[in-house]
Amino acid sequence: MRRLLQIARTGLASLALTLAFGGPLRAEGGTWTVERDVAAPSYAFIEPRTSDFNIDTVVLACEQADERRVVQLQLYLSNEGPLVPANARADRLKTNPRAEVSIDGRVFPIDILFAGDHVVLADQTDRMFPGVSDRLLDSLQEGQVMKLRLDLVAEPGRDSDAFDGETVIDLRGADSRSVIAAVRRCGAESDLQSAALEPPHR
C-alpha cells in the first residue's frame, strides 16, 4: 500500500509514520486495522476492495473538536491529489461536488470537505465540526458492503447528476464490528467527560 500523505494531526501521526516506513500496521483490502496499544483507539483504517478514484485508504477517525471529539470518515489519496476519477482531468472538477454512501442498499447523502492532506466525508455538523451521525455509524458497524459514490467532474453533454464512479469497501471482516465500536467509544467517552465538567444549570 502506498504511504499516506503527511498527516499533521497528532492522533494519526503514528499511523502515517508506520505506513510510510513499511512497519507492522498494514491494511489489507476488506480488513479494518485499529490503533494499537491504547485503551481507547482513536482511528481505524481500511483499503478499498475496488475504486474508480485515486483513494488509497479510508479512515474512521475520532478527532478533537474543542472540548469534545467527533467521529469522521476520511479519505487519503494514492498521490498528491486532488481527488479525481481515474484518467480524469483535474481542471474539470466541479465547484460543488456531490457524494453519497450506500451501505447494503441504504443511502446516506454526505458532504465532501477538502482538508489539505485528506478529504472528510460528513452527514452532520456538531457545532460547526463535520462528523458522522450515529445512524450512519450504526449501518457501518452492522453492514456488509459500503459503496462510496462521487460526482466530482463536470463533463459537457453528460448528465450533471450522474456519479463518476464508486469505491467499494468490504465491511465483513471478522473484527469489523468491534473495531468500529472501539472508535465510536472514543467520541462517546469524550462527550461524557465534557458533560461532567459543565457547571450545573441554575
Side-chain angles (χ1 to χ4, degrees), residues 2-28:
R2 298 182 183 181
R3 63 180 290 274
L4 297 180
L5 301 179
Q6 181 181 1
I7 302 172
R9 299 179 313 283
T10 303
L12 291 179
S14 60
L15 169 62
L17 290 173
T18 304
L19 292 177
F21 293 101
L25 280 183
R26 301 291 290 179
E28 299 177 359

Side-chain angles (χ1 to χ4, degrees), residues 91-165:
D91 62 353
R92 300 295 299 176
L93 291 176
K94 289 184 173 182
T95 304
N96 298 308
R98 188 170 60 94
E100 70 176 26
V101 166
S102 172
I103 301 177
D104 300 342
R106 186 179 183 188
V107 176
F108 300 85
I110 55 174
D111 294 325
I112 312 173
L113 301 103
F114 299 93
D117 62 353
H118 66 285
V119 177
V120 175
L121 304 178
D123 69 331
Q124 72 172 19
T125 302
D126 182 1
R127 300 183 195 176
M128 299 194 66
F129 291 97
V132 182
S133 66
D134 284 337
R135 57 189 289 269
L136 178 50
L137 286 170
D138 287 343
S139 291
L140 189 65
Q141 191 170 343
E142 300 296 327
Q144 301 282 313
V145 177
M146 177 171 71
K147 296 180 180 180
L148 170 62
R149 302 186 180 103
L150 302 173
D151 177 19
L152 303 172
V153 180
E155 298 182 14
R158 179 172 173 266
D159 183 357
S160 61
D161 291 330
F163 290 107
D164 299 315

Side-chain angles (χ1 to χ4, degrees), residues 169-191:
I169 297 96
D170 193 339
L171 303 174
R172 293 171 289 191
D175 297 327
S176 181
R177 292 185 181 183
S178 60
V179 166
I180 295 171
V183 177
R184 293 184 72 172
R185 282 195 296 272
C186 169
E189 289 176 0
S190 67
D191 289 341

